[in-house]
């Protein structure tokens, strides 16, 4: 989203305003709004959510914890945590 805004501002500036400092200021602003740690946490949350969905679906199909762990390569303790968290 930020990249789209940045590109739009740069386009408008080049074609209509031509302010040399505007593009530099927009670059600084968009870089300050983007935080790689936030992106990393979002990816981790997505992975956790996906793991939970897979574990619960497999459990719903009648598979036991050990089998789920073996097929998904998710540690058995993590499988147990997911089941406990979502079924209690």
């Amino acid at each position: 989203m930020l990249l789209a805004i940045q590109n739009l501002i740069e386009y408008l500036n080049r074609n209509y305003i031509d302010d040399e400092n505007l593009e530099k200021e927009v670059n600084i602003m968009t870089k300050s709004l983007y935080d790689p740690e936030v992106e990393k946490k979002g990816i981790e949350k997505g992975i956790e959510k996906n793991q939970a969905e897979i574990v619960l679906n497999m459990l719903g199909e009648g598979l036991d914890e050990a089998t789920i762990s073996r097929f998904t390569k998710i540690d058995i303790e993590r499988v147990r945590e997911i089941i406990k968290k979502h079924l209690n």
Side-chain angles (χ1 to χ4, degrees):
M1 179 72 163
L2 292 174
L3 183 59
I5 293 170
Q6 182 177 355
N7 288 338
L8 178 61
I9 296 295
E10 288 174 0
Y11 171 80
L12 292 173
N13 183 47
R14 277 193 305 273
N15 292 303
Y16 300 103
I17 301 171
D18 199 27
D19 182 350
E20 293 178 11
N21 294 321
L22 183 62
E23 285 188 42
K24 193 183 302 181
E25 290 175 19
V26 169
N27 284 332
I28 292 169
M29 180 187 70
T30 54
K31 286 178 184 172
S32 69
L33 292 173
Y34 172 73
D35 184 354
E37 283 301 311
V38 171
E39 180 181 31
K40 182 179 174 184
K41 289 177 185 176
I43 291 170
E44 289 170 358
K45 284 222 179 258
I47 291 169
E48 289 175 11
K49 183 179 178 184
N50 189 34
Q51 284 182 343
E53 185 177 323
I54 291 168
V55 167
L56 296 173
N57 286 341
M58 293 178 81
L59 187 68
E61 291 294 321
L63 298 170
D64 61 89
E65 295 170 351
T67 303
I68 294 170
S69 176
R70 187 171 38 133
F71 283 121
T72 63
K73 306 292 189 242
I74 299 171
D75 183 72
I76 187 102
E77 291 302 318
R78 177 71 182 127
V79 170
R80 290 179 180 145
E81 287 174 17
I82 291 168
I83 293 169
K84 183 178 178 182
K85 179 180 178 183
H86 291 280
L87 295 183
N88 289 335

